[in-house]
Amino acid sequence: MSECWAAYYGDALVLNDQEFEEFCRVYAKTNNIEPDALFEKLNVREFDFVQSKLPDKTFHITDILSDDCDGKCLIPFYWKGRPNVPDNNNGYIKRFFWREHDCYAVFADHNRYSVTDFSKQAYPSYEDFVQEFKDKLEKYLPDHFDWDSHLGCFSYAAYA
């Protein structure tokens, strides 16, 4: 049996530990679930979360745990209201790394990294992309939630 690292990437909304715990508390309260029962029985990868604005639809959250994953990196598409592109001063773009900490990702419904991008765009605009995540999560997250700093291209490696 071989053991190796496998790379994963995609467009996602990423929450840290504290944000995910708060999400779970609000989710449990909103959906009349005992919070302790949610935390005890929750296998995140197999749980069907009810969407915030479309209650007949569900979404999934992938837990990316430091025990078996590394190199977790989110490159937001926008930062502080502006496109996250290299500037003339330093050539760097904003990135977030999680090495020792767990994080939780909600991946986009549409893949922007496939041959279908040549015939049909996955999202007509950034606003449409953000709206997908608001439809899923908005009522479970704080009113002041910074969507831009949590949405972007996310990658990590998992030990397989």
Side-chain angles (χ1 to χ4, degrees):
M1 184 165 97
S2 68
E3 296 175 348
C4 65
W5 287 94
Y8 297 91
Y9 69 94
D11 295 335
L13 178 138
V14 182
L15 301 173
N16 65 29
D17 273 330
Q18 291 174 324
E19 292 166 333
F20 179 70
E21 287 178 17
E22 182 59 25
F23 160 84
C24 286
R25 275 192 279 284
V26 174
Y27 182 88
K29 182 178 180 182
T30 303
N31 292 290
N32 297 317
I33 301 170
E34 180 62 40
D36 291 338
L38 181 65
F39 285 114
E40 288 172 14
K41 296 181 181 182
L42 183 61
N43 180 343
V44 174
R45 293 180 191 193
E46 296 176 5
F47 193 83
D48 291 329
F49 289 93
V50 175
Q51 289 196 17
S52 175
K53 291 187 180 174
L54 306 168
D56 57 327
K57 293 187 176 186
T58 61
F59 67 96
H60 292 98
I61 297 176
T62 303
D63 53 341
I64 296 98
L65 309 176
S66 58
D67 291 345
D68 59 5
C69 296
D70 203 357
K72 299 170 281 222
C73 177
L74 175 68
I75 302 172
F77 294 125
Y78 280 78
W79 180 249
K80 296 186 178 181
R82 295 184 18 216
N84 188 18
V85 296
D87 62 30
N88 292 334
N89 296 329
N90 62 25
Y92 293 106
I93 58 176
K94 182 67 178 173
R95 298 180 190 118
F96 296 101
F97 296 98
W98 293 269
R99 291 252 14 209
E100 294 85 27
H101 303 286
D102 299 337
C103 60
Y104 301 84
V106 178
F107 285 95
D109 289 343
H110 305 290
N111 184 355
R112 290 184 321 115
Y113 309 100
S114 73
V115 71
T116 58
D117 285 349
F118 295 115
S119 60
K120 181 184 178 208
Q121 285 184 327
Y123 298 94
S125 69
Y126 177 70
E127 289 75 22
D128 290 316
F129 177 74
V130 173
Q131 190 61 52
E132 175 186 311
F133 290 92
K134 286 184 176 182
D135 289 348
K136 292 176 183 177
L137 298 151
E138 189 168 36
K139 75 178 175 183
Y140 309 128
L141 296 172
D143 292 337
H144 62 277
F145 187 75
D146 182 0
W147 294 93
D148 287 345
S149 68
H150 289 80
L151 286 165
C153 183
F154 181 62
S155 60
Y156 64 99
Y159 199 64

